[in-house]
Amino acid sequence: MPKLPPLGGQTMAHGSRRVRRWLLVAAVALLLQVAFHDGAFVNPGLAIKGNWRGGPRNGSNMLLLRAEGSTDLEERRVKCPLTREQLESDHGEKWEDVRDILVGLRAPSPEAIMRARFTALRFQDPQFLAATEKDDSQSIRERNKQWSVVLGLEEMNTFDKLLNMNNDAFSLQKPVGFEVVSADGEWVEFKIKCSGKTLSEKSRFIKDRKYGWVYGGETEYSEWA
C-alpha cells in the first residue's frame, strides 16, 4: 500500500497528487471487489486477491495423523486427533469415514473427502485443505498460504485488506454447520453454514492415489446467501 505523503510546506501540491492517485487506486479496488466477491469453498484462492508473504501466523493445526511406524489400524484410530463426539456432531453416522481419513486411510467416496475437508475447515487445517484439491496452476505450498489467509491464520497487508474488504470467502472462518444435499458419482452438492451466511456449492472430485478422492478443479455453481 502506498504511503501517504507529507501534507504541508513545499510538498503540498505533490502530496495532493499522490493522495488523489491513491484514492483512485482504492476506488478501483473497491469496484473490483464488488465484481469478484464470490469464491468457491473448494478453492477460495481463486477469489482472494493480493500477494501473501510468509507462513501462518502461529503455525497451523494438523488434523491428519502421521502414523510414525505404526501399521495397526485400531491403534491409529485411537490416536485420531478428534473425538467421536466432535466428528459425530457434524457428520452423524458417517463420522467414522472422516476419522479414518484423518488417520491416513483413503477416502471411500467423494462425499467422505468433502466431509473431511469441512472438518479441516472447522478445525483450521490449511495444509489438509490444500493437499486434498488439485490445481495444476498452483503448488500445495501456494494453496496452503491462501487457505491460511482465508482462515485468518496469516495476516494481509493494509492494501490487500482493502482489496478483499467484502469477500464472502472470509465467512469460512466461522463455520457452524455442514449439509450434504446430494452425492452423485463424482459430484457432491453441499451447504456450509457460517456465521451470518450460507455457501451452497456443487463440485466435482477425482480419484487420488494418496487420499482416495480430491477436489478436481470443477465447480458447477458456488453461491453465497
Side-chain angles (χ1 to χ4, degrees), residues 39-171:
F41 164 69
V42 287
N43 195 351
L46 295 175
I48 302 298
K49 293 172 280 293
N51 296 311
W52 321 121
R53 298 179 177 85
R57 187 171 51 212
N58 298 314
S60 61
N61 298 323
M62 290 292 296
L63 288 179
L64 191 63
L65 180 65
R66 304 296 181 185
E68 299 176 356
S70 174
T71 57
D72 184 84
L73 179 57
E74 290 306 317
E75 181 181 343
R76 288 157 63 185
R77 284 172 171 167
V78 169
K79 292 181 178 179
C80 180
L82 299 178
T83 66
R84 171 175 179 170
E85 289 72 23
Q86 287 174 309
L87 295 174
E88 211 166 27
S89 65
D90 288 325
H91 306 294
E93 62 183 14
K94 297 188 177 182
W95 72 273
E96 291 177 300
D97 286 342
V98 178
R99 177 204 58 193
D100 286 351
I101 294 170
L102 297 183
V103 301
L105 297 187
R106 294 184 183 90
S109 66
E111 178 182 346
I113 197 65
M114 184 59 232
R115 288 184 176 278
R117 283 171 60 77
F118 174 77
T119 295
L121 177 72
R122 179 185 281 280
F123 292 93
Q124 297 195 313
D125 185 348
Q127 183 169 325
F128 182 85
L129 290 165
T132 54
E133 57 193 20
K134 184 175 178 59
D135 184 350
D136 293 334
S137 67
Q138 290 183 314
S139 67
I140 291 180
R141 179 184 176 86
E142 290 172 325
R143 295 199 301 273
N144 189 356
K145 286 184 178 181
Q146 289 179 334
W147 272 112
S148 295
V149 171
V150 171
L151 297 177
L153 301 173
E154 181 175 334
E155 291 281 7
M156 290 188 290
N157 62 42
T158 304
F159 185 73
D160 288 336
K161 287 180 180 178
L162 176 64
L163 206 59
N164 292 279
M165 186 180 299
N166 299 311
N167 198 317
D168 286 325
F170 291 105
S171 297

